[in-house]
Short mmCIF file of all heavy atoms in Angstrom, two decimals:
data_model
loop_
_atom_site.label_atom_id
_atom_site.label_comp_id
_atom_site.label_asym_id
_atom_site.label_seq_id
_atom_site.Cartn_x
_atom_site.Cartn_y
_atom_site.Cartn_z
N TYR A 1 -14.43 4.75 -65.73
CA TYR A 1 -15.28 5.15 -64.38
C TYR A 1 -14.85 4.18 -63.28
O TYR A 1 -14.70 4.50 -62.07
CB TYR A 1 -16.70 5.19 -64.61
CG TYR A 1 -17.18 6.24 -65.51
CD1 TYR A 1 -17.61 6.03 -66.86
CD2 TYR A 1 -17.16 7.56 -65.14
CE1 TYR A 1 -17.98 7.00 -67.72
CE2 TYR A 1 -17.57 8.64 -66.04
CZ TYR A 1 -17.96 8.39 -67.29
OH TYR A 1 -18.38 9.28 -68.17
N GLN A 2 -14.74 2.79 -63.54
CA GLN A 2 -14.47 1.84 -62.54
C GLN A 2 -13.03 1.97 -62.01
O GLN A 2 -12.72 1.91 -60.81
CB GLN A 2 -14.71 0.49 -63.11
CG GLN A 2 -16.10 0.14 -63.35
CD GLN A 2 -16.32 -1.01 -64.37
OE1 GLN A 2 -15.39 -1.58 -64.95
NE2 GLN A 2 -17.53 -1.53 -64.44
N VAL A 3 -12.10 2.42 -62.94
CA VAL A 3 -10.68 2.51 -62.57
C VAL A 3 -10.72 3.65 -61.62
O VAL A 3 -9.92 3.56 -60.69
CB VAL A 3 -9.85 2.87 -63.78
CG1 VAL A 3 -8.47 3.33 -63.40
CG2 VAL A 3 -9.71 1.46 -64.56
N ILE A 4 -11.38 4.81 -61.92
CA ILE A 4 -11.29 5.98 -61.17
C ILE A 4 -11.79 5.73 -59.74
O ILE A 4 -11.22 6.03 -58.62
CB ILE A 4 -12.10 7.12 -61.72
CG1 ILE A 4 -11.31 7.73 -63.08
CG2 ILE A 4 -12.34 8.25 -60.67
CD1 ILE A 4 -12.19 8.57 -63.78
N ALA A 5 -12.81 4.89 -59.63
CA ALA A 5 -13.49 4.54 -58.33
C ALA A 5 -12.51 3.69 -57.44
O ALA A 5 -12.38 4.00 -56.16
CB ALA A 5 -14.82 3.79 -58.53
N VAL A 6 -12.02 2.72 -58.01
CA VAL A 6 -11.01 1.76 -57.26
C VAL A 6 -9.81 2.58 -56.97
O VAL A 6 -9.32 2.47 -55.78
CB VAL A 6 -10.70 0.59 -58.13
CG1 VAL A 6 -9.59 -0.21 -57.57
CG2 VAL A 6 -11.88 -0.21 -58.46
N ARG A 7 -9.33 3.47 -57.85
CA ARG A 7 -8.15 4.30 -57.52
C ARG A 7 -8.44 5.14 -56.35
O ARG A 7 -7.56 5.27 -55.49
CB ARG A 7 -7.78 5.20 -58.83
CG ARG A 7 -6.54 5.92 -58.57
CD ARG A 7 -6.40 6.96 -59.86
NE ARG A 7 -6.54 6.32 -61.01
CZ ARG A 7 -6.82 6.94 -62.14
NH1 ARG A 7 -7.30 8.24 -62.17
NH2 ARG A 7 -7.01 6.42 -63.25
N GLU A 8 -9.54 5.91 -56.29
CA GLU A 8 -9.84 6.76 -55.17
C GLU A 8 -10.09 5.98 -53.95
O GLU A 8 -9.67 6.38 -52.86
CB GLU A 8 -11.21 7.60 -55.58
CG GLU A 8 -10.87 8.56 -56.51
CD GLU A 8 -12.18 9.25 -56.91
OE1 GLU A 8 -13.29 8.85 -56.34
OE2 GLU A 8 -12.19 10.26 -57.67
N LEU A 9 -10.58 4.74 -53.91
CA LEU A 9 -10.73 3.84 -52.80
C LEU A 9 -9.40 3.61 -52.19
O LEU A 9 -9.21 3.68 -51.10
CB LEU A 9 -11.59 2.63 -53.20
CG LEU A 9 -11.62 1.58 -52.07
CD1 LEU A 9 -12.57 1.99 -51.02
CD2 LEU A 9 -12.11 0.19 -52.67
N ILE A 10 -8.46 3.13 -53.07
CA ILE A 10 -7.18 2.79 -52.56
C ILE A 10 -6.38 3.87 -51.96
O ILE A 10 -5.84 3.82 -50.90
CB ILE A 10 -6.25 2.16 -53.86
CG1 ILE A 10 -6.96 0.76 -54.26
CG2 ILE A 10 -4.84 1.98 -53.34
CD1 ILE A 10 -6.26 0.25 -55.55
N ARG A 11 -6.55 4.97 -52.56
CA ARG A 11 -5.84 6.32 -52.00
C ARG A 11 -6.45 6.58 -50.61
O ARG A 11 -5.79 7.15 -49.82
CB ARG A 11 -6.03 7.52 -53.01
CG ARG A 11 -5.02 7.43 -54.12
CD ARG A 11 -4.77 8.72 -54.82
NE ARG A 11 -5.98 9.35 -55.28
CZ ARG A 11 -6.38 9.53 -56.62
NH1 ARG A 11 -5.40 9.16 -57.54
NH2 ARG A 11 -7.40 9.91 -56.99
N SER A 12 -7.69 6.29 -50.47
CA SER A 12 -8.33 6.61 -49.25
C SER A 12 -7.76 5.98 -48.08
O SER A 12 -7.98 6.21 -46.89
CB SER A 12 -9.88 6.48 -49.37
OG SER A 12 -10.24 5.08 -49.21
N PHE A 13 -7.25 4.71 -48.32
CA PHE A 13 -6.59 3.96 -47.29
C PHE A 13 -5.26 4.43 -46.72
O PHE A 13 -4.90 3.99 -45.55
CB PHE A 13 -6.37 2.57 -47.80
CG PHE A 13 -7.58 1.71 -48.08
CD1 PHE A 13 -7.69 1.00 -49.22
CD2 PHE A 13 -8.78 1.76 -47.17
CE1 PHE A 13 -8.83 0.34 -49.50
CE2 PHE A 13 -9.82 1.12 -47.57
CZ PHE A 13 -9.97 0.29 -48.70
N ALA A 14 -4.65 5.39 -47.41
CA ALA A 14 -3.41 5.97 -46.96
C ALA A 14 -3.44 6.47 -45.50
O ALA A 14 -4.39 7.24 -45.14
CB ALA A 14 -2.91 7.00 -47.92
N GLY A 15 -2.45 6.03 -44.74
CA GLY A 15 -2.33 6.43 -43.28
C GLY A 15 -3.19 5.63 -42.39
O GLY A 15 -2.84 5.46 -41.18
N THR A 16 -4.18 4.85 -42.83
CA THR A 16 -4.92 4.00 -42.00
C THR A 16 -4.64 2.54 -42.24
O THR A 16 -4.80 1.70 -41.31
CB THR A 16 -6.47 4.34 -42.13
OG1 THR A 16 -6.79 3.99 -43.57
CG2 THR A 16 -6.91 5.65 -41.87
N ARG A 17 -4.31 2.24 -43.42
CA ARG A 17 -3.96 0.78 -43.82
C ARG A 17 -2.69 0.84 -44.64
O ARG A 17 -2.44 1.78 -45.27
CB ARG A 17 -5.03 0.04 -44.45
CG ARG A 17 -6.20 -0.33 -43.70
CD ARG A 17 -7.17 -1.22 -44.56
NE ARG A 17 -8.25 -1.82 -43.71
CZ ARG A 17 -9.33 -1.27 -43.43
NH1 ARG A 17 -9.66 -0.01 -43.86
NH2 ARG A 17 -10.29 -1.88 -42.72
N THR A 18 -1.95 -0.25 -44.44
CA THR A 18 -0.77 -0.49 -45.34
C THR A 18 -1.25 -1.25 -46.61
O THR A 18 -2.00 -2.08 -46.55
CB THR A 18 0.33 -1.38 -44.66
OG1 THR A 18 0.69 -0.77 -43.42
CG2 THR A 18 1.59 -1.43 -45.61
N VAL A 19 -0.87 -0.72 -47.75
CA VAL A 19 -1.46 -1.13 -49.06
C VAL A 19 -0.28 -1.44 -49.95
O VAL A 19 0.57 -0.59 -50.23
CB VAL A 19 -2.47 -0.25 -49.69
CG1 VAL A 19 -2.96 -0.79 -50.97
CG2 VAL A 19 -3.56 0.18 -48.69
N LEU A 20 -0.19 -2.56 -50.54
CA LEU A 20 0.81 -2.94 -51.54
C LEU A 20 -0.03 -3.38 -52.70
O LEU A 20 -0.77 -4.27 -52.82
CB LEU A 20 1.62 -4.09 -51.18
CG LEU A 20 2.60 -4.67 -52.12
CD1 LEU A 20 3.73 -3.51 -52.36
CD2 LEU A 20 3.41 -5.90 -51.72
N VAL A 21 0.20 -2.45 -53.83
CA VAL A 21 -0.62 -2.77 -55.08
C VAL A 21 0.38 -3.13 -56.22
O VAL A 21 1.40 -2.44 -56.45
CB VAL A 21 -1.23 -1.32 -55.52
CG1 VAL A 21 -2.13 -1.72 -56.80
CG2 VAL A 21 -2.16 -0.87 -54.40
N ALA A 22 0.23 -4.37 -56.70
CA ALA A 22 1.07 -4.78 -57.86
C ALA A 22 0.28 -4.61 -59.23
O ALA A 22 -0.87 -4.81 -59.40
CB ALA A 22 1.34 -6.31 -57.71
N SER A 23 1.04 -3.99 -60.19
CA SER A 23 0.50 -3.76 -61.45
C SER A 23 1.61 -3.63 -62.60
O SER A 23 2.67 -3.25 -62.29
CB SER A 23 -0.38 -2.43 -61.35
OG SER A 23 -0.83 -2.14 -62.66
N HIS A 24 1.21 -3.98 -63.78
CA HIS A 24 2.11 -3.65 -64.87
C HIS A 24 1.73 -2.25 -65.60
O HIS A 24 2.37 -1.89 -66.61
CB HIS A 24 1.85 -4.81 -65.97
CG HIS A 24 0.60 -4.77 -66.64
ND1 HIS A 24 -0.62 -5.22 -65.97
CD2 HIS A 24 0.19 -4.47 -67.82
CE1 HIS A 24 -1.65 -5.22 -66.83
NE2 HIS A 24 -1.14 -4.62 -68.04
N VAL A 25 0.72 -1.53 -64.98
CA VAL A 25 0.18 -0.38 -65.71
C VAL A 25 0.91 0.78 -65.09
O VAL A 25 0.48 1.16 -63.76
CB VAL A 25 -1.32 -0.20 -65.63
CG1 VAL A 25 -1.70 1.11 -66.39
CG2 VAL A 25 -1.97 -1.46 -66.30
N LEU A 26 1.86 1.49 -65.65
CA LEU A 26 2.59 2.53 -64.94
C LEU A 26 1.74 3.65 -64.62
O LEU A 26 1.99 4.24 -63.40
CB LEU A 26 3.73 2.96 -65.98
CG LEU A 26 4.82 3.97 -65.45
CD1 LEU A 26 6.07 3.80 -66.11
CD2 LEU A 26 4.34 5.41 -65.64
N THR A 27 0.90 4.16 -65.36
CA THR A 27 0.12 5.37 -65.09
C THR A 27 -0.87 5.08 -63.93
O THR A 27 -1.06 6.13 -63.08
CB THR A 27 -0.77 5.72 -66.36
OG1 THR A 27 -1.53 4.54 -66.77
CG2 THR A 27 0.10 6.16 -67.45
N GLU A 28 -1.28 3.86 -63.75
CA GLU A 28 -2.21 3.62 -62.60
C GLU A 28 -1.38 3.59 -61.29
O GLU A 28 -1.76 4.26 -60.30
CB GLU A 28 -2.89 2.34 -62.72
CG GLU A 28 -4.09 2.28 -63.70
CD GLU A 28 -5.01 3.47 -63.26
OE1 GLU A 28 -5.48 3.43 -62.17
OE2 GLU A 28 -5.31 4.32 -64.25
N ILE A 29 -0.15 2.93 -61.19
CA ILE A 29 0.66 2.93 -60.04
C ILE A 29 1.07 4.39 -59.70
O ILE A 29 1.03 4.68 -58.50
CB ILE A 29 1.94 2.07 -60.35
CG1 ILE A 29 1.51 0.49 -60.36
CG2 ILE A 29 3.06 2.27 -59.35
CD1 ILE A 29 1.10 -0.06 -59.01
N GLU A 30 1.45 5.12 -60.82
CA GLU A 30 1.76 6.46 -60.44
C GLU A 30 0.73 7.22 -59.85
O GLU A 30 1.10 8.18 -58.92
CB GLU A 30 2.27 7.17 -61.77
CG GLU A 30 3.05 8.56 -61.64
CD GLU A 30 3.51 8.91 -62.97
OE1 GLU A 30 2.95 8.64 -64.01
OE2 GLU A 30 4.44 9.74 -62.93
N LYS A 31 -0.47 7.13 -60.07
CA LYS A 31 -1.61 7.80 -59.53
C LYS A 31 -2.04 7.25 -58.07
O LYS A 31 -2.65 8.06 -57.43
CB LYS A 31 -2.73 7.86 -60.53
CG LYS A 31 -2.47 8.59 -61.69
CD LYS A 31 -3.64 8.53 -62.75
CE LYS A 31 -3.28 9.28 -64.04
NZ LYS A 31 -4.48 9.04 -65.01
N ILE A 32 -1.86 6.12 -57.92
CA ILE A 32 -2.27 5.44 -56.66
C ILE A 32 -1.08 5.56 -55.47
O ILE A 32 -1.42 5.95 -54.34
CB ILE A 32 -2.62 3.95 -56.87
CG1 ILE A 32 -3.85 3.92 -57.78
CG2 ILE A 32 -2.83 3.28 -55.53
CD1 ILE A 32 -4.17 2.48 -58.23
N ALA A 33 0.07 5.22 -55.86
CA ALA A 33 0.99 4.93 -54.89
C ALA A 33 1.86 6.09 -54.48
O ALA A 33 2.08 7.04 -55.17
CB ALA A 33 2.04 3.89 -55.27
N THR A 34 2.29 6.09 -53.08
CA THR A 34 3.08 7.20 -52.70
C THR A 34 4.55 6.86 -52.79
O THR A 34 5.45 7.63 -52.74
CB THR A 34 2.89 7.52 -51.00
OG1 THR A 34 3.02 6.28 -50.46
CG2 THR A 34 1.52 8.08 -50.92
#
């Protein structure tokens, strides 16, 4: 549940803030990043 909440928060920044997310988890990066 916490992962989903943080993921949605990061996606909400698209277009308004520049976000660089570093991770070793491929599935999370795939769902977050453009």
Side-chain angles (χ1 to χ4, degrees):
Y1 291 107
Q2 294 164 348
V3 166
I4 291 170
V6 172
R7 185 193 303 156
E8 290 177 349
L9 174 68
I10 294 171
R11 284 200 298 246
S12 74
F13 293 135
T16 60
R17 282 186 173 87
T18 303
V19 184
L20 179 65
V21 185
S23 179
H24 69 284
V25 183
L26 186 149
T27 53
E28 283 307 308
I29 287 291
E30 191 171 24
K31 291 173 182 175
I32 290 172
T34 55

